[in-house]
């Protein structure tokens, strides 16, 4: 694991965008794994700026998002599809047929999950996967005590995740309790992984990820076994790790 500690959220976002850009520059048809939530928003903004300045071309890029709320239609403003469109895709020259996000309203969820993994496999896996981390150490929506063997599957969200995600909704009762998420096994097949973390609320999860024992109690701890993981974190998220 390589750790890059930067001053603040802005620097974290710039660094992540720089790594993404060089990935796409070196391989035009890169397969990118993408995350939602607050953490990558700054990175998406930076990438949009780079696109506007003609510094990056997404026309051949393919993307796979980590997760989508179960039972939430893509046109719903709370869906991760909506988030991706409005925070990133509609501002860049990506080919919409190259975008992949699990369908939260699929009639046959099992089939949707199998198909999602098949599509990832057909694309030869992610060249670069961006991850955020939950306060409980989740990656994607792989909550504590998940099986490391799982591929894309339907998950029940942890109470801590529901509480944390309530900030995006009018009330906690509106937060979906299930999601379709890439599994740990799917994520680990990525060639390169970048995990982003900002703020004090992530410090404990980062400590457990980097210094803790590898255990399903902290799903992100499995990243210790991946051959190419870079964690970009700001000083607040790094404040429990001493170097
Ligand atoms: C989002 C995802 C989650 C988030 C995590 C952190 O697609 O898979 O694992 O990355 O919950 O969320 P934020 O960035 O909002 O703190």
């Amino acid at each position: 694991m390589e750790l890059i500690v930067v001053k603040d959220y802005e620097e974290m976002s710039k660094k992540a965008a720089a790594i993404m850009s060089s990935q796409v520059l070196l391989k035009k048809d890169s397969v990118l794994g993408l995350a939602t939530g607050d953490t990558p928003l700054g990175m998406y903004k930076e990438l949009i700026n780079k696109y506007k300045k003609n510094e990056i071309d997404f026309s051949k890029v393919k993307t796979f998002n980590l997760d989508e709320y179960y039972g939430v239609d893509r046109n719903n403003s709370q869906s991760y599809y909506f988030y991706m469109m409005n925070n990133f895709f509609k501002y860049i020259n990506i080919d919409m047929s190259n975008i992949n996000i699990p369908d939260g309203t699929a009639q046959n969820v099992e089939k949707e999950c199998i198909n999602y993994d098949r599509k990832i496999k057909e694309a030869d896996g992610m060249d670069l996967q961006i991850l955020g981390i939950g306060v409980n150490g989740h990656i994607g929506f792989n909550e504590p005590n998940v099986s490391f063997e799982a591929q894309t599957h339907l998950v029940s969200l942890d109470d801590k995740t529901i509480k944390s995600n309530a900030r995006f909704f009018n009330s906690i009762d509106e937060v979906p309790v299930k999601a379709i998420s890439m599994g740990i096994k799917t994520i680990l097949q990525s060639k390169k992984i970048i995990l982003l973390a900002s703020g004090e609320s992530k410090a404990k999860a980062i400590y457990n990820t980097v210094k803790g024992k590898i255990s399903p109690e902290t799903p992100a701890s499995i990243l210790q076994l991946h051959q190419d993981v870079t964690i970009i974190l700001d000083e607040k998220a790094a404040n429990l790790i001493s170097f």
Side-chain angles (χ1 to χ4, degrees):
M1 272 179 169
E2 188 194 352
L3 262 70
I4 303 178
V5 181
V6 294
K7 194 165 89 289
D8 54 20
Y9 180 81
E10 199 187 334
E11 262 191 50
M12 178 201 75
S13 305
K14 285 196 170 140
K15 185 91 204 156
I19 296 175
M20 283 278 256
S21 312
S22 33
Q23 171 66 44
V24 175
L25 210 66
L26 292 174
K27 186 171 183 257
K28 267 178 147 317
D29 59 348
S30 286
V31 180
L32 305 177
L34 301 177
T36 56
D38 276 336
T39 312
L41 281 173
M43 177 192 75
Y44 292 137
K45 277 205 183 105
E46 281 295 322
L47 287 171
I48 292 166
N49 286 339
K50 284 178 183 291
Y51 168 69
K52 283 185 182 152
K53 288 191 265 171
N54 265 332
E55 289 172 12
I56 183 165
D57 171 18
F58 292 97
S59 62
K60 299 274 184 303
V61 165
K62 191 172 254 187
T63 64
F64 286 92
N65 264 78
L66 280 167
D67 37 28
E68 178 60 281
Y69 284 129
Y70 176 62
V72 176
D73 186 84
R74 51 157 63 177
N75 297 315
N76 183 317
S77 60
Q78 299 291 3
S79 74
Y80 285 167
Y81 181 92
F82 192 95
Y83 168 108
M84 288 308 301
M85 289 308 292
N86 289 288
N87 289 304
F88 192 36
F89 294 149
K90 79 175 185 194
Y91 300 106
I92 58 171
N93 66 334
I94 194 153
D95 179 343
M96 291 299 161
S97 66
N98 282 339
I99 289 168
N100 296 279
I101 302 176
D103 177 3
T105 59
Q107 290 291 316
N108 185 336
V109 181
E110 209 177 314
K111 203 168 149 202
E112 173 66 13
C113 294
I114 291 170
N115 276 343
Y116 204 65
D117 282 320
R118 185 185 41 77
K119 279 194 265 177
I120 292 174
K121 204 167 170 201
E122 279 168 9
D124 200 21
M126 274 75 73
D127 290 303
L128 174 59
Q129 173 69 55
I130 297 290
L131 297 175
I133 185 167
V135 288
N136 61 3
H138 75 205
I139 46 176
F141 275 136
N142 294 282
E143 302 287 31
N145 301 318
V146 68
S147 157
F148 286 154
E149 289 296 305
Q151 292 190 260
T152 302
H153 62 308
L154 184 66
V155 296
S156 295
L157 302 183
D158 189 78
D159 284 347
K160 272 194 185 163
T161 302
I162 294 173
K163 233 189 224 164
S164 167
N165 287 0
R167 68 193 192 278
F168 300 115
F169 294 81
N170 292 325
S171 86
I172 194 160
D173 303 329
E174 287 180 17
V175 186
V177 293
K178 288 187 177 182
I180 296 176
S181 175
M182 277 188 203
I184 296 284
K185 194 170 173 185
T186 321
I187 293 171
L188 288 181
Q189 284 161 4
S190 312
K191 294 168 191 105
K192 180 176 181 63
I193 296 176
I194 306 279
L195 185 142
L196 306 175
S198 162
E200 218 164 327
S201 67
K202 302 292 171 72
K204 183 92 198 309
I206 287 295
Y207 176 86
N208 290 337
T209 299
V210 177
K211 302 268 183 183
K213 66 173 194 308
I214 299 169
S215 147
E217 280 167 40
T218 304
S221 63
I222 192 73
L223 297 176
Q224 290 177 27
L225 297 182
H226 191 276
Q227 73 284 1
D228 193 351
V229 175
T230 303
I231 302 185
I232 309 174
L233 65 174
D234 65 10
E235 285 170 3
K236 286 186 176 152
N239 78 5
L240 294 179
I241 328 173
S242 47
F243 295 94

